[in-house]
Amino acid sequence: MISLWIFADVPIDSDGALERVLRPLAHERDSHGRPFVPGHPELRLSMSHAEGMLLVAVADGCRVGVDVEIVRDRGISSLPAHALSERELNDLGEPPGLETFLSYWTRKEAVLKAAGVGLAIEPSLVELARNGPNVCRLPAAFGPPDRWSACEVPLDGYAAAFAADVPSPVLSVHRASAWGFVCVS
């Protein structure tokens, strides 16, 4: 089970968000700044933020990663060669499609976060299906690609995704407000 907590335009920092999500469990950060819950190795955490949006993913019994990016022109015609595989670059079309690129990017970064390596691994080593949650290729150390999923999270004005090392994750989505949380799925 994966719980995704969405903080949209809620004035809160990442530690405050973790405190609201994990209450009453205390959290710490490892040497890379990743949050964890001491004494609960079965709980995995991931966070990402972009201008007015903060996502927190909590998984029980699987690795999880989350990423969010604001949708705005970033000059993607000059993409770094390491971002996408050759097939994925061909999927972008001419001119390159911003939404398609951000879909790939957020899903790849979510996979890399879930694997615990972040951008220390070239993103092009992770190859994803254009649409849907399928992971087509991964570094061997991550395990078989068919045991992973990388799913988009629909958010107006943002590209967002979560990834897990399970093929069909069960997701529960919660939206934060100034008054508390609303479960939306």
Side-chain angles (χ1 to χ4, degrees):
M1 169 66 111
I2 298 171
S3 294
L4 179 65
W5 306 83
I6 301 170
F7 295 83
D9 295 318
V10 175
I12 194 166
D13 65 9
S14 60
D15 282 327
L18 281 172
E19 288 172 12
R20 284 181 67 180
V21 169
L22 296 173
R23 194 172 296 170
L25 298 174
H27 71 281
E28 295 180 12
R29 293 186 184 267
D30 67 15
S31 61
H32 300 285
R34 294 181 298 237
F36 71 97
V37 179
H40 293 277
E42 76 282 3
L43 293 179
R44 303 291 182 92
L45 308 173
S46 183
M47 297 178 9
S48 184
H49 59 85
E51 298 180 34
M53 183 68 65
L54 172 65
L55 301 181
V56 177
V58 180
D60 186 1
C62 68
R63 295 183 287 176
V64 67
V66 66
D67 188 46
V68 63
E69 303 285 341
I70 193 162
V71 176
R72 69 167 174 243
D73 184 19
R74 299 164 190 239
I76 67 165
S77 60
S78 60
L79 288 174
H82 72 278
L84 302 176
S85 71
E86 188 174 325
R87 186 199 46 82
E88 292 166 339
L89 283 167
N90 290 333
D91 284 348
L92 290 182
E94 281 296 323
L98 179 62
E99 281 86 17
T100 303
F101 171 72
L102 288 175
S103 169
Y104 277 129
W105 181 258
T106 56
R107 290 182 294 143
K108 282 176 180 257
E109 192 163 350
V111 168
L112 294 171
K113 285 180 174 183
V117 296
L119 293 174
I121 298 284
E122 292 293 331
S124 63
L125 297 176
V126 173
E127 188 170 84
L128 305 171
R130 178 171 182 162
N131 298 306
N134 294 343
V135 177
C136 304
R137 182 172 49 101
L138 289 170
F142 291 20
D146 62 349
R147 295 189 58 198
W148 284 80
S149 56
C151 306
E152 291 184 79
V153 177
L155 296 172
D156 289 340
Y158 296 87
F162 75 94
D165 63 345
V166 293
S168 299
V170 176
L171 181 68
S172 173
V173 179
H174 309 268
R175 286 193 175 266
S177 71
W179 306 280
F181 292 108
V182 176
C183 184
V184 294
S185 73

